[in-house]
Amino acid sequence: MSNNYDKPLFLEQANNGLAERGSDQSLPAYGLPDDDKPKGGGILSKILIAILAIATGGLGYYTYSLNKDRQATESELTSQKKQVMSDLKLLRESYDKVVIENKDVKNDLLQARNKIDQYIDSLQNMKVSISSLARFKSQAFTLAKERDLLIRKNDSLMRANSAIKKDLDSVSVKLDLASAKVDSLARQTNQLKKVVETGSALQISKLIAEAVKGSKNKTTDRGKAADKLKICFTVGANKIAKSGSRYFYIQVNSPSGTILGSNESFSAGEEKVNYSIATHFIYDNKSVDICDFIAKVGKEFEKGAYKITVYDDKLNQVGTTDLLLK
């Protein structure tokens, strides 16, 4: 007799149940009912989703804030760029004013103005950043200080030049006055010189021309009979005239226009005279009588009127007379 307590209770029941439902039915799932499943996974997902949503929103806000800050920064940089550009243009205008007002402006002012033009061109064509704008501001400040220094230096030089010009004008006025006095004195001197020259010029009197013949120089009025022409005159006394060896020049023109005698020339300054004979005499400031002779050319003197002119050693005409031969 077998012991029924030795058989497994649940195994028998299970076998019986399988037999009733048939071999094609699947075994029931062993586990907890749906209502009894744990809910921790759903809550965690919701928390993660919420965190992601918050993070996404924060990132969007941060991106928006950055974009807004960037636009504000660009706007501020543009505004600052315009301000620096305006400052540079004002600096250039101040240099232009100095250059226009001063014709003799120094070269360093022109160089400084050209430097500002270069900065303006660079700033206009540059996309500015904070660092570049700061550099341009610093350059504008430096240029402003340099402008003040150069303008003060130029003003100082202009004042010095003005003072020098006044001194030169004063000296020029004094020189003009002195020159006027010198000119006046020179004119007076020239006038006195002319007076002296006029006063010291030798004068002649008793100018006589005649034809003579024979060894005793007998006077004749016939050309055929005459051997030579005799010209005599008296040089007057003159205390201020130059004494010593002096010359007078006698010119005898024949009726046909020929100059008798040596027909040589003598020049004094711009004057030139052809003469018949140069009469030499010693002058001691007293009156002196002078006679000279001109021999005939050919067989006889031609008939007609002869013109005799006497010149001093400066070729001033001091006397003239005529001689008529038959």
Side-chain angles (χ1 to χ4, degrees):
M1 177 173 182
S2 61
N3 191 357
N4 292 331
Y5 291 101
D6 297 331
K7 296 180 182 180
L9 177 60
F10 293 104
L11 180 60
E12 182 178 357
Q13 292 177 351
N15 290 334
N16 291 334
L18 289 171
E20 292 177 0
R21 288 192 291 269
S23 60
D24 57 338
Q25 291 182 357
S26 61
L27 293 174
Y30 292 95
L32 297 173
D34 291 338
D35 293 338
D36 295 333
K37 291 180 181 179
K39 300 179 180 180
I43 294 172
L44 181 61
S45 296
K46 290 179 179 179
I47 292 172
L48 291 174
I49 292 171
I51 292 172
L52 289 174
I54 292 171
T56 302
L59 181 61
Y61 178 77
Y62 178 71
T63 303
Y64 169 77
S65 297
L66 286 179
N67 186 56
K68 188 174 181 181
D69 290 343
R70 181 181 61 80
Q71 292 176 351
T73 300
E74 290 180 352
S75 177
E76 179 64 20
L77 287 175
T78 301
S79 176
Q80 292 291 330
K81 176 181 177 180
K82 291 180 179 179
Q83 182 61 44
V84 174
M85 186 74 70
S86 177
D87 293 341
L88 289 173
K89 289 181 178 179
L90 287 176
L91 281 174
R92 191 190 188 287
E93 289 176 1
S94 66
Y95 278 111
D96 289 339
K97 184 178 179 181
V98 174
V99 171
I100 292 173
E101 292 177 351
N102 300 279
K103 294 181 180 179
D104 299 327
V105 69
K106 288 296 181 180
N107 191 50
D108 49 5
L109 284 173
L110 298 176
Q111 291 178 351
R113 186 181 66 174
N114 294 337
K115 188 189 298 182
I116 292 175
D117 287 338
Q118 294 174 0
Y119 283 137
I120 290 174
D121 292 339
S122 299
L123 187 57
Q124 283 177 337
N125 300 324
M126 179 182 291
K127 185 176 181 181
V128 297
S129 62
I130 294 176
S131 60
S132 64
L133 187 61
R135 185 174 69 255
F136 273 99
K137 281 185 177 181
S138 176
Q139 289 170 343
F141 179 75
T142 301
L143 290 172
K145 292 177 64 178
E146 181 182 3
R147 185 273 315 269
D148 294 339
L149 178 62
L150 290 175
I151 290 180
R152 285 197 300 270
K153 180 180 177 182
N154 185 72
D155 290 342
S156 177
L157 290 174
M158 292 301 294
R159 286 193 296 271
N161 289 336
S162 178
I164 292 172
K165 185 177 180 181
K166 288 181 180 178
D167 292 339
L168 289 176
D169 290 341
S170 177
V171 172
S172 178
V173 170
K174 292 179 180 178
L175 287 175
D176 289 341
L177 292 174
S179 178
K181 290 181 180 179
V182 169
D183 291 341
S184 177
L185 291 173
R187 286 193 296 270
Q188 293 177 13
T189 301
N190 288 332
Q191 291 174 354
L192 290 173
K193 184 178 179 181
K194 290 180 180 179
V195 170
V196 171
E197 288 178 351
T198 302
S200 63
L202 297 179
Q203 302 296 325
I204 67 171
S205 61
K206 303 176 183 179
L207 176 59
I208 299 174
E210 56 186 2
V212 295
K213 63 180 180 178
S215 59
K216 295 183 179 181
N217 295 326
K218 186 178 180 180
T219 302
T220 181
D221 60 355
R222 298 175 61 85
K224 289 183 178 180
D227 296 323
K228 50 194 171 182
L229 301 180
K230 179 182 178 182
I231 297 99
C232 296
F233 53 86
T234 298
V235 179
N238 191 327
K239 293 182 179 180
I240 64 174
K242 183 180 73 171
S243 61
S245 180
R246 302 293 296 266
Y247 282 90
F248 273 11
Y249 300 89
I250 300 173
Q251 182 188 77
V252 179
N253 280 282
S254 69
S256 61
T258 303
I259 295 177
L260 304 182
S262 63
N263 195 16
E264 295 179 357
S265 64
F266 175 76
S267 298
E270 295 180 357
E271 299 296 328
K272 182 179 180 180
V273 167
N274 281 64
Y275 60 89
S276 301
I277 189 170
T279 299
H280 177 256
F281 61 97
I282 302 300
Y283 187 70
D284 59 358
N285 303 105
K286 297 177 182 180
S287 63
V288 57
D289 294 326
I290 297 173
C291 287
D292 225 326
F293 298 88
I294 298 174
K296 65 181 178 181
V297 178
K299 293 182 179 180
E300 59 186 43
F301 287 102
E302 64 180 306
K303 296 178 182 180
Y306 290 78
K307 184 174 181 64
I308 296 91
T309 306
V310 180
Y311 298 91
D312 66 10
D313 50 9
K314 291 185 180 179
L315 295 185
N316 296 310
Q317 183 176 311
V318 293
T320 182
T321 190
D322 295 321
L323 172 64
L324 181 61
L325 295 180
K326 298 178 182 180

